[in-house]
Amino acid sequence: MTIRDNCSLADRNTFGMDIRADSLIDWASTDELKNVLHDIEQPILMIGGGSNLLFMGDFRGTVLHSTISSIEVIGGDSDHVHVRVGAGVVWDDFVAWCSINGYWGVENLSAIPGEVGASAVQNIGAYGVEAKDVIDTVQTICLADGSERDFTNAQCRYAYRQSIFKNELKGQYAVTYVIFTLSKVAQPKLGYGAIAQEVERLGGPTLENIRKAVIAIRESKLPDPKLLGNAGSFFMNPVISEQEFNIIRSNYPDVPSYPAPDGMVKVPAGWLIEKTGWKGRSLGPAAVYEKQALVLVNKGGATGVDVKRLADTIIEDVKQKFGITLTTEVNYI
Ligand code: EPU
């Protein structure tokens, strides 16, 4: 375990903002976290790879980060494998490990920034797959009393980019391990737009080719946070009623959409933002990425306030034009 006081978080958030925390604790095991819980300064902020955070200023409290880095096979049968993965494992290292070992389920989630613990909190998703599709159990520690608690998939109350850990139990449980159920039998999911085409070009739907295809598509659309600070999708794709959707479609027959639960319709926020004219435009040192309007970037020296000002302006303009209120996927701290 390492404990650092008055510590910079510049390399702990993918917007690359140089803010500080009163204390930063990297804990490497369940016992280490339990031992340190009694005497840490409140409030507490739990972070993973910092790929979904926008700091509005210094954090006056304790930042907790897990470095549990094991990946172990704990069971399975002829068709499936159960894998227990430490919260601090880099998500894409886990995906690469699955690809090498021939385990199907997470290949469409290749190259998503962040760590395994946060994947279970955010229910990360891409190209027709969400973390919830492969999560069996989320193992946690209760910050209030140090007790261990396992959440089944159903108890996590997963929905699009939502879980119990972002809502009812926000900030209350630290993820230690996530148990995934993966398939030993090929299960390519190629339904999402460009993937099938790219996989075909690479020679067919092997695990490796799907991983390569997803990485290539992401690289062509999304900025590398090491080169240009960003947090992936800044907004969630709004889910609206069919009635609201039909009104938009009557004015814009080409509006893209995906079916959502309960007869609702999901509309790409990137499309809505592009239609307001914001794609590629800047407001001070914050900008809308030129190849994907859902991504806000730090052109250099932007503060959380700068990025929020841009986000608020976009929300206002989308509201004016379409009557839809965008909500952020990024968490303001
Ligand atoms: N579009 C535009 N203009 C844009 C961006 C998108 O018109 O600037 C339209 C296009 O018609 C495109 C459609 O929106 O066909 C969908 O775009 P894309 O495939 O890029 O996906 P998205 O809906 O914008 C979501 C996730 C991404 C994920 C992709 C692929 C959310 C909030 N975002 O984006 O997740 O990679 O689908 O599955 O659901 C993330 O969460 O950080 C993230 C990158």
Side-chain angles (χ1 to χ4, degrees):
M1 173 162 55
T2 58
I3 303 179
R4 277 168 265 201
D5 291 331
N6 189 24
C7 181
S8 169
L9 299 178
D11 59 355
R12 303 293 183 123
N13 74 99
T14 57
F15 268 114
M17 285 168 190
D18 189 14
I19 40 82
R20 306 188 86 78
D22 286 351
S23 183
L24 168 66
I25 300 178
D26 287 296
W27 51 279
S29 70
T30 305
D31 284 344
E32 278 190 4
L33 180 59
K34 283 183 187 174
N35 289 338
V36 85
L37 272 182
H38 319 288
D39 36 44
I40 53 181
E41 184 201 338
Q42 302 280 341
I44 292 173
L45 170 69
M46 291 178 283
I47 64 168
S51 54
N52 245 315
L53 303 176
L54 180 66
F55 285 97
M56 304 308 293
D58 290 342
F59 184 71
R60 311 316 310 254
T62 305
V63 175
L64 287 178
H65 172 249
S66 169
T67 59
I68 301 181
S69 58
S70 55
I71 303 182
E72 54 177 326
V73 172
I74 56 167
D77 54 31
S78 54
D79 291 349
H80 299 98
V81 63
H82 305 298
V83 186
R84 186 175 186 245
V85 189
V89 172
V90 170
W91 172 263
D92 196 54
D93 289 352
F94 168 54
V95 177
W97 179 92
C98 292
S99 175
I100 289 165
N101 286 283
Y103 301 148
W104 292 76
V106 287
E107 57 284 356
N108 289 34
L109 305 177
S110 290
I112 293 184
E115 295 173 0
V116 166
S119 75
V121 174
Q122 295 286 343
N123 185 24
I124 59 173
Y127 309 109
V129 175
E130 291 176 287
K132 75 168 173 62
D133 303 334
V134 283
I135 288 175
D136 180 86
T137 306
V138 180
Q139 301 190 303
T140 70
I141 293 177
C142 172
L143 295 187
D145 62 11
S147 61
E148 293 181 30
R149 179 167 168 194
D150 288 0
F151 291 80
T152 63
N153 181 301
Q155 288 169 336
C156 293
R157 304 224 187 129
Y158 283 125
Y160 168 60
R161 297 293 198 277
Q162 296 295 339
S163 74
I164 198 166
F165 309 110
K166 283 183 78 176
N167 294 295
E168 297 93 320
L169 300 182
K170 188 171 179 174
Q172 296 182 38
Y173 289 84
V175 177
T176 51
Y177 296 90
V178 182
I179 300 173
F180 295 91
T181 299
L182 303 161
S183 175
K184 293 181 185 170
V185 183
Q187 285 186 344
K189 296 209 170 62
L190 306 174
Y192 198 96
I195 292 199
Q197 220 178 333
E198 182 68 13
V199 164
E200 202 48 48
R201 201 184 63 78
L202 290 166
T206 62
L207 256 183
E208 204 193 341
N209 284 347
I210 296 174
R211 179 166 162 73
K212 272 193 198 154
V214 170
I215 292 172
I217 293 168
R218 287 186 74 91
E219 277 176 355
S220 72
K221 283 191 183 177
L222 299 168
D224 179 349
K226 290 194 197 92
L227 305 176
L228 190 63
N230 76 90
S233 301
F234 195 91
F235 302 99
M236 288 193 257
N237 287 335
V239 177
I240 60 177
S241 69
E242 206 179 332
Q243 216 174 0
E244 287 173 290
F245 178 70
N246 285 336
I247 295 170
I248 296 177
R249 193 165 50 183
S250 62
N251 293 319
Y252 301 91
D254 62 336
V255 56
S257 66
Y258 312 99
D262 306 321
M264 304 286 276
V265 182
K266 198 193 274 181
V267 181
W271 182 89
L272 297 169
I273 296 168
E274 184 169 344
K275 289 290 171 208
T276 65
W278 270 107
K279 192 170 185 174
R281 270 174 63 195
S282 305
L283 186 65
V288 180
Y289 190 53
E290 65 211 4
K291 295 182 200 158
Q292 163 56 288
L294 196 48
V295 178
L296 304 190
V297 300
N298 173 4
K299 291 196 301 176
T303 63
V305 175
D306 294 324
V307 176
K308 183 170 184 295
R309 187 181 303 128
L310 173 59
D312 288 346
T313 310
I314 290 170
I315 290 170
E316 187 54 41
D317 287 0
V318 169
K319 175 87 188 157
Q320 287 280 336
K321 197 172 178 77
F322 295 104
I324 295 175
T325 305
L326 293 181
T327 52
T328 61
E329 178 175 329
V330 165
N331 301 299
Y332 294 135
I333 309 295

